[in-house]
């Protein structure tokens, strides 16, 4: 439930192009508290959910509504496929790990001491 609230709060706040500070001002909450809710650090009381929903101009139920099953299944399969491909290929522009270099290659790339 905490993750659902965090995801929906962030989604609605960003859709309205509100900063955490502006939303906090409207809901009379501290910006750091909103940040903590969005990061699943703190749980929100029913009263806080109501204040956030009022500040966003949406029903409180929208902040607590889980994503549809089909959307979750689709996104999780995309994420797992991306994760598998990311493990198989190094990131573009990433330097190779020094551990993967042969010792002779490491010696050849060392900087020589200056004069």
């Amino acid at each position: 439930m905490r993750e659902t609230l965090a995801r929906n709060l962030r989604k609605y706040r960003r859709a309205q192009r509100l900063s955490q500070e502006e939303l906090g001002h409207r809901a009379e909450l501290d910006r750091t508290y909103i940040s903590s809710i969005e990061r699943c650090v703190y749980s929100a009381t029913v009263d806080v959910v109501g204040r956030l929903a009022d500040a966003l101009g949406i029903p409180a139920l929208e902040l607590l509504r889980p994503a549809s099953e089909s959307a979750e299944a689709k996104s999780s399969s995309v994420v797992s496929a991306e994760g598998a491909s990311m493990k198989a290929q190094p990131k573009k522009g990433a330097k190779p790990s020094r551990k993967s270099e042969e010792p002779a290659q490491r010696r050849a790339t060392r900087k020589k001491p200056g004069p």
Side-chain angles (χ1 to χ4, degrees), residues 5-20 22-29 34 37-38 48-60 62-64:
L5 173 61
R7 181 177 42 252
N8 290 338
L9 178 59
R10 184 177 296 118
K11 178 180 80 172
Y12 284 107
R13 179 180 60 78
R14 287 181 175 173
Q16 294 184 23
R17 299 184 183 272
L18 294 175
S19 66
Q20 291 173 343
E22 177 60 26
L23 179 58
H25 179 71
R26 291 181 183 188
E28 298 180 356
L29 297 167
I34 292 173
I37 293 170
E38 287 186 357
V48 169
V49 172
R51 289 166 63 179
L52 290 168
D54 289 344
L56 291 167
I58 60 173
E62 290 301 312
L63 290 176
L64 301 173

Side-chain angles (χ1 to χ4, degrees), residues 43 61 73 92 95 106-108 111:
S43 299
L61 180 60
K92 291 182 182 178
K95 294 180 181 178
R106 278 186 266 157
R107 280 193 298 274
K111 292 183 179 179

Side-chain angles (χ1 to χ4, degrees), residues 68-86:
S68 67
E69 295 295 322
S70 61
E72 284 182 345
K74 184 178 178 181
S75 67
S76 66
S77 66
V78 169
V79 169
S80 63
E82 287 175 354
S85 68
M86 288 177 67

